[in-house]
Amino acid sequence: MDSLEDFEKSLAAERAERERQKEKEERRDRKHRHHHRESRRDRSTERDRDSDRRRRRDDQDDESRRHKRYRRDDEDDESRRHRHRHRDDDRDRDRDRHRRSGKDTKDLKASDPKEDLPLPDEELAPGESKSSLVRDSWMTAPSALDIDYVQRNKRKSPSPVREEPKRVLHHRELNRGLEEASNKPAEEPKTGKPREVRYTFGDDGSQWRMTKLKAVYTIAEETGRPVDEVAIERFGSLREFDDAREEKIEVDRRKVYGSGYVGKEKPTGELYAERIASQKKAPPPPGFPALSKPPAELEQGVSIEDKIAPAPPMDQSALNRLRAQLMKAKLRNSPDVPKLEAEFNSAMAAFQLGQATSNAIVLDASHSRLLAGGSRGEVKPVTNKRGLERGTVVENDEMTLDDMVREERRTKGEAGGEGMRLAERIAKDGKFDNDLEYLDENAEKLAKRVHKTDSSLKNVAVTEYKKLNRILDSCPLCYHEEKNPPGNLPVAPVVSLGTRTYLTLAPAPELTGAEGGAVIVPLSHRTNLLECDDDEWEEMRNFMKSLTRMYHDQGREVIFYENAANPQRRQHAAMVAVPIPYELGDTAPAFFREAMMSAGEEWSQHKKVIDTLKKSKEPGFGRMAFRKSIAKEMPYFHAWFGLDGGLGHVVEDSGSWPRGDGFAREVIGGMLDADVAVIKKQGRWTRGDERVEGFKKRWRKWDWTRVLEDGQ
């Protein structure tokens, strides 16, 4: 019995211990629930963190209870085995007792009297608890992660349609032809109706259309592209291009026949119709030949020999490349040598034939001084094989005095001068070092002149001739006698025409306060006025006198200037007359002197200012002071404040000098306080200048060329 009572006590103690554990867990849960109620307003991330912490804590508690249960099960098994052992002993003792007392053992109960006792809560199955715990509503609510949030975008109201502002030209805009370009209607689709043209010949947009037409021919000539291709790119269609051509013809006719001429007012489409008719009559394009009868079939088995077609005329560079290919093939023993040799002979024959044609222009000493003198005594040919092939020459150490004179005359004023020759010698010296010791040791070698071969001199002469022709063709001040009238007239309007010079207007735009200027131009294309002869200077002085009297009659002073700072560009020389207020006439020389002193580098090889007006008062100079003070090969700028002279400046660095007439416009514009935009804008001559009639009326009283007309 003692053992049974001990067992019951142990069971009661275990039950009490379980109840204490349960109460402790409930207090912990209540404390946690109370804390969670206070923190319900925290963020969702905090709730997730707390739930994770609580889940880990529950897992730890379950793990600890599982270990306790395993340990308790082991103890229960041990106590059960102990009870069974005691029960067997008690049963044996009872049997002995009943045997002694005479009772039957079958009446005894074989089961354990404690088997009907209730099992502890830890030993119940998970679904067999008497009272299951129920979670609060806040614990069973769905998580914030399971809620789908829907974001609704507000519909934006359509923005109102913005109207394009009307383009209006500023009152200071100089190019009034932009108005026609901005208001130009789009080209209408082709319908059977005649095309409507909204402009007339000679209106405000005529100048803009003529400039556009001239640009088409200029681009086609410079790039070598077809005129029609450039016209489509610039005008958009050939119809617009032909209308501009028609307007050009009509405007030229009006200039020739005068104001009484009555012609077309709008384009009629005649040139475009002629273009369409000529395209219909044109033969089919290559690749689609119209064969009248089928070609004859070739007989099989008959070989056709390769025939070398005559090569087109070639230039010297292409001929040299073909010769180089032939020499390489010979060095490699290539089987193509006979073919290349035949091609070279054919090309050489074509080249010689092209040189002998009547269209070729033979250059002589009148075109270039480098070709003058016949035999060149200053050089002697190299007699070795390579020298004979290339025509190499070296300096002749046995020159006579006549040879030296001829060489000096031929090379005088050559572009670059001695500096260019020194640069050529340095370029041919592969071991050159910019060191004084090297210069001293190789002084004799560097002093030798590098002479060009006869072919090189001819190439230089041809290049200069082509360059000069391009300049003459595009010069706005030259007469073009090879063209038909009125294309033979210069672009600049001719106001008065003398025998060697003529008077035209200053290019627009003119400086504010200096309107009504003029330009004196020699008829011959001169690089600068120092190249003019005495007859040309006499007529220029007559124009200067007449202009001075006209401006003095208007109460204004006049300044004449010439800009010859870029002789290598071979521009047409001209003397520009700029009228200024009379009170600025005395201070004008000071403005130009200060500008010339500050121009260029601080240290220069020439005097900053050449006072030709002061020299004109010295004996022996007079009206020739300007022509005797500056060399005609020099780039210079000169301003006249009187008939005999003024101030001159030698331009040593043409690259840093202002472009065009920028120097004079800046100085005079500063005197007149003109707008900077007008000062920076370079003027150009245009045909049909509206200022011509007004200037002619003012100039008629002082025009000295009327004497020539009356005499004729």
Side-chain angles (χ1 to χ4, degrees), residues 425-455:
R425 289 192 294 270
I426 293 175
K428 291 182 179 295
D429 188 1
K431 300 180 181 180
F432 178 78
D433 188 10
N434 190 11
D435 188 6
L436 294 178
E437 295 182 0
Y438 182 85
L439 295 177
D440 293 339
E441 294 174 358
N442 301 272
E444 184 179 357
K445 182 176 66 173
L446 294 176
K448 290 183 179 180
R449 295 191 58 179
V450 179
H451 294 276
K452 296 180 180 180
T453 61
D454 294 339
S455 60

PDB file of all heavy atoms in Angstrom, residues 425-455:
ATOM      1  N   ARG A 425      63.167  73.232 -98.125  1.00  0.00           N
ATOM      2  CA  ARG A 425      64.465  72.596 -97.864  1.00  0.00           C
ATOM      3  C   ARG A 425      64.420  71.787 -96.570  1.00  0.00           C
ATOM      4  O   ARG A 425      64.972  70.687 -96.500  1.00  0.00           O
ATOM      5  CB  ARG A 425      65.562  73.665 -97.802  1.00  0.00           C
ATOM      6  CG  ARG A 425      65.891  74.293 -99.145  1.00  0.00           C
ATOM      7  CD  ARG A 425      67.167  75.106 -99.077  1.00  0.00           C
ATOM      8  NE  ARG A 425      67.029  76.286 -98.216  1.00  0.00           N
ATOM      9  CZ  ARG A 425      66.635  77.483 -98.618  1.00  0.00           C
ATOM     10  NH1 ARG A 425      66.333  77.666 -99.905  1.00  0.00           N
ATOM     11  NH2 ARG A 425      66.537  78.492 -97.787  1.00  0.00           N
ATOM     12  N   ILE A 426      63.783  72.324 -95.557  1.00  0.00           N
ATOM     13  CA  ILE A 426      63.691  71.594 -94.284  1.00  0.00           C
ATOM     14  C   ILE A 426      62.844  70.339 -94.457  1.00  0.00           C
ATOM     15  O   ILE A 426      63.129  69.278 -93.881  1.00  0.00           O
ATOM     16  CB  ILE A 426      63.109  72.523 -93.195  1.00  0.00           C
ATOM     17  CG1 ILE A 426      64.103  73.648 -92.878  1.00  0.00           C
ATOM     18  CG2 ILE A 426      62.779  71.739 -91.939  1.00  0.00           C
ATOM     19  CD1 ILE A 426      63.571  74.678 -91.904  1.00  0.00           C
ATOM     20  N   ALA A 427      61.769  70.425 -95.255  1.00  0.00           N
ATOM     21  CA  ALA A 427      60.903  69.267 -95.459  1.00  0.00           C
ATOM     22  C   ALA A 427      61.631  68.139 -96.172  1.00  0.00           C
ATOM     23  O   ALA A 427      61.339  66.956 -95.939  1.00  0.00           O
ATOM     24  CB  ALA A 427      59.664  69.687 -96.255  1.00  0.00           C
ATOM     25  N   LYS A 428      62.574  68.439 -97.035  1.00  0.00           N
ATOM     26  CA  LYS A 428      63.326  67.415 -97.753  1.00  0.00           C
ATOM     27  C   LYS A 428      64.503  66.874 -96.946  1.00  0.00           C
ATOM     28  O   LYS A 428      65.163  65.928 -97.384  1.00  0.00           O
ATOM     29  CB  LYS A 428      63.822  67.971 -99.091  1.00  0.00           C
ATOM     30  CG  LYS A 428      62.708  68.235-100.089  1.00  0.00           C
ATOM     31  CD  LYS A 428      63.263  68.730-101.401  1.00  0.00           C
ATOM     32  CE  LYS A 428      62.136  68.959-102.402  1.00  0.00           C
ATOM     33  NZ  LYS A 428      61.457  67.699-102.766  1.00  0.00           N
ATOM     34  N   ASP A 429      64.777  67.455 -95.784  1.00  0.00           N
ATOM     35  CA  ASP A 429      65.883  67.003 -94.930  1.00  0.00           C
ATOM     36  C   ASP A 429      65.297  66.126 -93.825  1.00  0.00           C
ATOM     37  O   ASP A 429      64.684  66.619 -92.872  1.00  0.00           O
ATOM     38  CB  ASP A 429      66.620  68.219 -94.343  1.00  0.00           C
ATOM     39  CG  ASP A 429      67.882  67.812 -93.604  1.00  0.00           C
ATOM     40  OD1 ASP A 429      68.188  66.592 -93.578  1.00  0.00           O
ATOM     41  OD2 ASP A 429      68.559  68.687 -93.042  1.00  0.00           O
ATOM     42  N   GLY A 430      65.473  64.813 -93.975  1.00  0.00           N
ATOM     43  CA  GLY A 430      64.905  63.891 -92.986  1.00  0.00           C
ATOM     44  C   GLY A 430      65.600  63.928 -91.646  1.00  0.00           C
ATOM     45  O   GLY A 430      65.027  63.508 -90.638  1.00  0.00           O
ATOM     46  N   LYS A 431      66.821  64.418 -91.548  1.00  0.00           N
ATOM     47  CA  LYS A 431      67.578  64.466 -90.295  1.00  0.00           C
ATOM     48  C   LYS A 431      67.581  65.853 -89.668  1.00  0.00           C
ATOM     49  O   LYS A 431      68.412  66.136 -88.792  1.00  0.00           O
ATOM     50  CB  LYS A 431      69.025  64.029 -90.545  1.00  0.00           C
ATOM     51  CG  LYS A 431      69.153  62.625 -91.093  1.00  0.00           C
ATOM     52  CD  LYS A 431      70.622  62.268 -91.322  1.00  0.00           C
ATOM     53  CE  LYS A 431      70.761  60.867 -91.887  1.00  0.00           C
ATOM     54  NZ  LYS A 431      72.188  60.497 -92.112  1.00  0.00           N
ATOM     55  N   PHE A 432      66.681  66.713 -90.102  1.00  0.00           N
ATOM     56  CA  PHE A 432      66.707  68.090 -89.601  1.00  0.00           C
ATOM     57  C   PHE A 432      66.410  68.115 -88.104  1.00  0.00           C
ATOM     58  O   PHE A 432      65.536  67.397 -87.594  1.00  0.00           O
ATOM     59  CB  PHE A 432      65.671  68.940 -90.342  1.00  0.00           C
ATOM     60  CG  PHE A 432      65.600  70.354 -89.842  1.00  0.00           C
ATOM     61  CD1 PHE A 432      66.554  71.295 -90.211  1.00  0.00           C
ATOM     62  CD2 PHE A 432      64.592  70.749 -88.973  1.00  0.00           C
ATOM     63  CE1 PHE A 432      66.498  72.588 -89.751  1.00  0.00           C
ATOM     64  CE2 PHE A 432      64.517  72.042 -88.510  1.00  0.00           C
ATOM     65  CZ  PHE A 432      65.480  72.970 -88.894  1.00  0.00           C
ATOM     66  N   ASP A 433      67.167  68.952 -87.396  1.00  0.00           N
ATOM     67  CA  ASP A 433      66.977  69.150 -85.963  1.00  0.00           C
ATOM     68  C   ASP A 433      67.003  70.654 -85.688  1.00  0.00           C
ATOM     69  O   ASP A 433      67.918  71.359 -86.141  1.00  0.00           O
ATOM     70  CB  ASP A 433      68.088  68.447 -85.177  1.00  0.00           C
ATOM     71  CG  ASP A 433      67.807  68.473 -83.679  1.00  0.00           C
ATOM     72  OD1 ASP A 433      66.675  68.872 -83.304  1.00  0.00           O
ATOM     73  OD2 ASP A 433      68.698  68.118 -82.893  1.00  0.00           O
ATOM     74  N   ASN A 434      66.018  71.120 -84.971  1.00  0.00           N
ATOM     75  CA  ASN A 434      65.912  72.551 -84.673  1.00  0.00           C
ATOM     76  C   ASN A 434      66.917  72.914 -83.583  1.00  0.00           C
ATOM     77  O   ASN A 434      66.564  73.136 -82.422  1.00  0.00           O
ATOM     78  CB  ASN A 434      64.482  72.892 -84.256  1.00  0.00           C
ATOM     79  CG  ASN A 434      64.250  74.395 -84.182  1.00  0.00           C
ATOM     80  OD1 ASN A 434      65.081  75.180 -84.624  1.00  0.00           O
ATOM     81  ND2 ASN A 434      63.134  74.786 -83.606  1.00  0.00           N
ATOM     82  N   ASP A 435      68.164  72.936 -83.982  1.00  0.00           N
ATOM     83  CA  ASP A 435      69.253  73.198 -83.043  1.00  0.00           C
ATOM     84  C   ASP A 435      70.272  74.090 -83.750  1.00  0.00           C
ATOM     85  O   ASP A 435      70.538  73.947 -84.947  1.00  0.00           O
ATOM     86  CB  ASP A 435      69.896  71.886 -82.601  1.00  0.00           C
ATOM     87  CG  ASP A 435      70.898  72.103 -81.474  1.00  0.00           C
ATOM     88  OD1 ASP A 435      70.988  73.245 -80.980  1.00  0.00           O
ATOM     89  OD2 ASP A 435      71.598  71.152 -81.102  1.00  0.00           O
ATOM     90  N   LEU A 436      70.873  75.015 -82.991  1.00  0.00           N
ATOM     91  CA  LEU A 436      71.843  75.930 -83.584  1.00  0.00           C
ATOM     92  C   LEU A 436      73.074  75.186 -84.086  1.00  0.00           C
ATOM     93  O   LEU A 436      73.651  75.554 -85.121  1.00  0.00           O
ATOM     94  CB  LEU A 436      72.248  76.997 -82.564  1.00  0.00           C
ATOM     95  CG  LEU A 436      71.139  77.979 -82.148  1.00  0.00           C
ATOM     96  CD1 LEU A 436      71.668  78.942 -81.097  1.00  0.00           C
ATOM     97  CD2 LEU A 436      70.622  78.743 -83.364  1.00  0.00           C
ATOM     98  N   GLU A 437      73.498  74.141 -83.380  1.00  0.00           N
ATOM     99  CA  GLU A 437      74.664  73.382 -83.826  1.00  0.00           C
ATOM    100  C   GLU A 437      74.382  72.707 -85.164  1.00  0.00           C
ATOM    101  O   GLU A 437      75.229  72.692 -86.061  1.00  0.00           O
ATOM    102  CB  GLU A 437      75.047  72.341 -82.775  1.00  0.00           C
ATOM    103  CG  GLU A 437      75.516  72.960 -81.454  1.00  0.00           C
ATOM    104  CD  GLU A 437      75.926  71.893 -80.450  1.00  0.00           C
ATOM    105  OE1 GLU A 437      75.831  70.691 -80.815  1.00  0.00           O
ATOM    106  OE2 GLU A 437      76.328  72.254 -79.340  1.00  0.00           O
ATOM    107  N   TYR A 438      73.169  72.149 -85.319  1.00  0.00           N
ATOM    108  CA  TYR A 438      72.827  71.505 -86.589  1.00  0.00           C
ATOM    109  C   TYR A 438      72.751  72.529 -87.716  1.00  0.00           C
ATOM    110  O   TYR A 438      73.197  72.266 -88.841  1.00  0.00           O
ATOM    111  CB  TYR A 438      71.488  70.770 -86.447  1.00  0.00           C
ATOM    112  CG  TYR A 438      71.071  70.031 -87.696  1.00  0.00           C
ATOM    113  CD1 TYR A 438      71.533  68.751 -87.950  1.00  0.00           C
ATOM    114  CD2 TYR A 438      70.219  70.635 -88.620  1.00  0.00           C
ATOM    115  CE1 TYR A 438      71.156  68.074 -89.098  1.00  0.00           C
ATOM    116  CE2 TYR A 438      69.841  69.973 -89.771  1.00  0.00           C
ATOM    117  CZ  TYR A 438      70.304  68.686 -90.007  1.00  0.00           C
ATOM    118  OH  TYR A 438      69.945  68.028 -91.142  1.00  0.00           O
ATOM    119  N   LEU A 439      72.199  73.699 -87.403  1.00  0.00           N
ATOM    120  CA  LEU A 439      72.108  74.732 -88.431  1.00  0.00           C
ATOM    121  C   LEU A 439      73.484  75.210 -88.866  1.00  0.00           C
ATOM    122  O   LEU A 439      73.720  75.480 -90.052  1.00  0.00           O
ATOM    123  CB  LEU A 439      71.269  75.906 -87.908  1.00  0.00           C
ATOM    124  CG  LEU A 439      69.797  75.615 -87.616  1.00  0.00           C
ATOM    125  CD1 LEU A 439      69.127  76.855 -87.031  1.00  0.00           C
ATOM    126  CD2 LEU A 439      69.068  75.176 -88.867  1.00  0.00           C
ATOM    127  N   ASP A 440      74.421  75.320 -87.903  1.00  0.00           N
ATOM    128  CA  ASP A 440      75.774  75.750 -88.268  1.00  0.00           C
ATOM    129  C   ASP A 440      76.493  74.693 -89.085  1.00  0.00           C
ATOM    130  O   ASP A 440      77.204  75.010 -90.055  1.00  0.00           O
ATOM    131  CB  ASP A 440      76.577  76.080 -87.006  1.00  0.00           C
ATOM    132  CG  ASP A 440      76.026  77.311 -86.287  1.00  0.00           C
ATOM    133  OD1 ASP A 440      75.326  78.099 -86.960  1.00  0.00           O
ATOM    134  OD2 ASP A 440      76.267  77.476 -85.078  1.00  0.00           O
ATOM    135  N   GLU A 441      76.334  73.428 -88.714  1.00  0.00           N
ATOM    136  CA  GLU A 441      77.042  72.368 -89.419  1.00  0.00           C
ATOM    137  C   GLU A 441      76.485  72.134 -90.817  1.00  0.00           C
ATOM    138  O   GLU A 441      77.217  71.708 -91.715  1.00  0.00           O
ATOM    139  CB  GLU A 441      76.966  71.068 -88.602  1.00  0.00           C
ATOM    140  CG  GLU A 441      77.706  71.150 -87.277  1.00  0.00           C
ATOM    141  CD  GLU A 441      77.489  69.901 -86.429  1.00  0.00           C
ATOM    142  OE1 GLU A 441      76.731  69.014 -86.903  1.00  0.00           O
ATOM    143  OE2 GLU A 441      78.056  69.813 -85.334  1.00  0.00           O
ATOM    144  N   ASN A 442      75.193  72.360 -91.017  1.00  0.00           N
ATOM    145  CA  ASN A 442      74.558  72.089 -92.307  1.00  0.00           C
ATOM    146  C   ASN A 442      74.096  73.376 -92.977  1.00  0.00           C
ATOM    147  O   ASN A 442      73.080  73.398 -93.683  1.00  0.00           O
ATOM    148  CB  ASN A 442      73.354  71.163 -92.119  1.00  0.00           C
ATOM    149  CG  ASN A 442      73.718  69.838 -91.499  1.00  0.00           C
ATOM    150  OD1 ASN A 442      74.071  68.888 -92.184  1.00  0.00           O
ATOM    151  ND2 ASN A 442      73.638  69.779 -90.162  1.00  0.00           N
ATOM    152  N   ALA A 443      74.830  74.470 -92.745  1.00  0.00           N
ATOM    153  CA  ALA A 443      74.441  75.754 -93.333  1.00  0.00           C
ATOM    154  C   ALA A 443      74.505  75.710 -94.847  1.00  0.00           C
ATOM    155  O   ALA A 443      73.633  76.249 -95.546  1.00  0.00           O
ATOM    156  CB  ALA A 443      75.332  76.866 -92.785  1.00  0.00           C
ATOM    157  N   GLU A 444      75.527  75.040 -95.391  1.00  0.00           N
ATOM    158  CA  GLU A 444      75.677  74.992 -96.847  1.00  0.00           C
ATOM    159  C   GLU A 444      74.541  74.195 -97.485  1.00  0.00           C
ATOM    160  O   GLU A 444      74.005  74.585 -98.532  1.00  0.00           O
ATOM    161  CB  GLU A 444      77.027  74.369 -97.196  1.00  0.00           C
ATOM    162  CG  GLU A 444      77.316  74.357 -98.696  1.00  0.00           C
ATOM    163  CD  GLU A 444      78.677  73.756 -99.003  1.00  0.00           C
ATOM    164  OE1 GLU A 444      79.402  73.418 -98.042  1.00  0.00           O
ATOM    165  OE2 GLU A 444      78.998  73.621-100.206  1.00  0.00           O
ATOM    166  N   LYS A 445      74.164  73.075 -96.841  1.00  0.00           N
ATOM    167  CA  LYS A 445      73.081  72.258 -97.396  1.00  0.00           C
ATOM    168  C   LYS A 445      71.744  72.973 -97.320  1.00  0.00           C
ATOM    169  O   LYS A 445      70.933  72.923 -98.259  1.00  0.00           O
ATOM    170  CB  LYS A 445      73.009  70.921 -96.647  1.00  0.00           C
ATOM    171  CG  LYS A 445      71.945  69.990 -97.198  1.00  0.00           C
ATOM    172  CD  LYS A 445      71.978  68.651 -96.497  1.00  0.00           C
ATOM    173  CE  LYS A 445      71.599  68.752 -95.045  1.00  0.00           C
ATOM    174  NZ  LYS A 445      71.471  67.422 -94.413  1.00  0.00           N
ATOM    175  N   LEU A 446      71.501  73.673 -96.213  1.00  0.00           N
ATOM    176  CA  LEU A 446      70.239  74.385 -96.073  1.00  0.00           C
ATOM    177  C   LEU A 446      70.181  75.634 -96.944  1.00  0.00           C
ATOM    178  O   LEU A 446      69.090  76.136 -97.226  1.00  0.00           O
ATOM    179  CB  LEU A 446      70.022  74.773 -94.604  1.00  0.00           C
ATOM    180  CG  LEU A 446      69.817  73.620 -93.620  1.00  0.00           C
ATOM    181  CD1 LEU A 446      69.725  74.149 -92.203  1.00  0.00           C
ATOM    182  CD2 LEU A 446      68.576  72.825 -93.969  1.00  0.00           C
ATOM    183  N   ALA A 447      71.348  76.147 -97.357  1.00  0.00           N
ATOM    184  CA  ALA A 447      71.365  77.347 -98.194  1.00  0.00           C
ATOM    185  C   ALA A 447      71.070  77.036 -99.652  1.00  0.00           C
ATOM    186  O   ALA A 447      70.742  77.941-100.426  1.00  0.00           O
ATOM    187  CB  ALA A 447      72.716  78.053 -98.080  1.00  0.00           C
ATOM    188  N   LYS A 448      71.186  75.770-100.035  1.00  0.00           N
ATOM    189  CA  LYS A 448      70.915  75.418-101.428  1.00  0.00           C
ATOM    190  C   LYS A 448      69.422  75.544-101.722  1.00  0.00           C
ATOM    191  O   LYS A 448      68.581  75.178-100.907  1.00  0.00           O
ATOM    192  CB  LYS A 448      71.368  73.978-101.706  1.00  0.00           C
ATOM    193  CG  LYS A 448      72.875  73.799-101.705  1.00  0.00           C
ATOM    194  CD  LYS A 448      73.234  72.370-102.071  1.00  0.00           C
ATOM    195  CE  LYS A 448      74.738  72.191-102.105  1.00  0.00           C
ATOM    196  NZ  LYS A 448      75.122  70.790-102.470  1.00  0.00           N
ATOM    197  N   ARG A 449      69.121  76.036-102.890  1.00  0.00           N
ATOM    198  CA  ARG A 449      67.727  76.188-103.295  1.00  0.00           C
ATOM    199  C   ARG A 449      67.212  74.875-103.869  1.00  0.00           C
ATOM    200  O   ARG A 449      67.921  74.178-104.609  1.00  0.00           O
ATOM    201  CB  ARG A 449      67.583  77.294-104.334  1.00  0.00           C
ATOM    202  CG  ARG A 449      67.923  78.664-103.794  1.00  0.00           C
ATOM    203  CD  ARG A 449      67.502  79.741-104.764  1.00  0.00           C
ATOM    204  NE  ARG A 449      66.073  79.683-105.048  1.00  0.00           N
ATOM    205  CZ  ARG A 449      65.443  80.538-105.855  1.00  0.00           C
ATOM    206  NH1 ARG A 449      66.116  81.503-106.445  1.00  0.00           N
ATOM    207  NH2 ARG A 449      64.156  80.428-106.063  1.00  0.00           N
ATOM    208  N   VAL A 450      65.990  74.543-103.543  1.00  0.00           N
ATOM    209  CA  VAL A 450      65.331  73.352-104.078  1.00  0.00           C
ATOM    210  C   VAL A 450      64.568  73.780-105.321  1.00  0.00           C
ATOM    211  O   VAL A 450      63.526  74.446-105.231  1.00  0.00           O
ATOM    212  CB  VAL A 450      64.384  72.725-103.030  1.00  0.00           C
ATOM    213  CG1 VAL A 450      63.692  71.511-103.616  1.00  0.00           C
ATOM    214  CG2 VAL A 450      65.156  72.361-101.777  1.00  0.00           C
ATOM    215  N   HIS A 451      65.071  73.431-106.476  1.00  0.00           N
ATOM    216  CA  HIS A 451      64.462  73.839-107.736  1.00  0.00           C
ATOM    217  C   HIS A 451      63.429  72.806-108.165  1.00  0.00           C
ATOM    218  O   HIS A 451      63.631  71.589-108.001  1.00  0.00           O
ATOM    219  CB  HIS A 451      65.534  73.996-108.816  1.00  0.00           C
ATOM    220  CG  HIS A 451      66.484  75.116-108.543  1.00  0.00           C
ATOM    221  ND1 HIS A 451      66.225  76.423-108.877  1.00  0.00           N
ATOM    222  CD2 HIS A 451      67.719  75.125-107.944  1.00  0.00           C
ATOM    223  CE1 HIS A 451      67.232  77.198-108.526  1.00  0.00           C
ATOM    224  NE2 HIS A 451      68.161  76.427-107.948  1.00  0.00           N
ATOM    225  N   LYS A 452      62.356  73.294-108.724  1.00  0.00           N
ATOM    226  CA  LYS A 452      61.289  72.424-109.202  1.00  0.00           C
ATOM    227  C   LYS A 452      61.583  71.994-110.628  1.00  0.00           C
ATOM    228  O   LYS A 452      62.208  72.714-111.408  1.00  0.00           O
ATOM    229  CB  LYS A 452      59.946  73.148-109.146  1.00  0.00           C
ATOM    230  CG  LYS A 452      59.519  73.517-107.735  1.00  0.00           C
ATOM    231  CD  LYS A 452      58.186  74.220-107.738  1.00  0.00           C
ATOM    232  CE  LYS A 452      57.764  74.577-106.318  1.00  0.00           C
ATOM    233  NZ  LYS A 452      56.457  75.279-106.281  1.00  0.00           N
ATOM    234  N   THR A 453      61.099  70.812-110.959  1.00  0.00           N
ATOM    235  CA  THR A 453      61.268  70.308-112.314  1.00  0.00           C
ATOM    236  C   THR A 453      60.345  71.066-113.276  1.00  0.00           C
ATOM    237  O   THR A 453      59.444  71.809-112.862  1.00  0.00           O
ATOM    238  CB  THR A 453      60.947  68.808-112.357  1.00  0.00           C
ATOM    239  OG1 THR A 453      59.577  68.612-111.969  1.00  0.00           O
ATOM    240  CG2 THR A 453      61.838  68.044-111.377  1.00  0.00           C
ATOM    241  N   ASP A 454      60.560  70.853-114.558  1.00  0.00           N
ATOM    242  CA  ASP A 454      59.727  71.521-115.566  1.00  0.00           C
ATOM    243  C   ASP A 454      58.270  71.089-115.456  1.00  0.00           C
ATOM    244  O   ASP A 454      57.349  71.904-115.602  1.00  0.00           O
ATOM    245  CB  ASP A 454      60.258  71.210-116.969  1.00  0.00           C
ATOM    246  CG  ASP A 454      61.635  71.828-117.199  1.00  0.00           C
ATOM    247  OD1 ASP A 454      61.976  72.776-116.470  1.00  0.00           O
ATOM    248  OD2 ASP A 454      62.371  71.354-118.096  1.00  0.00           O
ATOM    249  N   SER A 455      58.055  69.795-115.170  1.00  0.00           N
ATOM    250  CA  SER A 455      56.665  69.327-115.020  1.00  0.00           C
ATOM    251  C   SER A 455      56.006  69.941-113.792  1.00  0.00           C
ATOM    252  O   SER A 455      54.810  70.275-113.815  1.00  0.00           O
ATOM    253  CB  SER A 455      56.648  67.802-114.927  1.00  0.00           C
ATOM    254  OG  SER A 455      57.409  67.358-113.813  1.00  0.00           O
TER     255      SER A 455
END
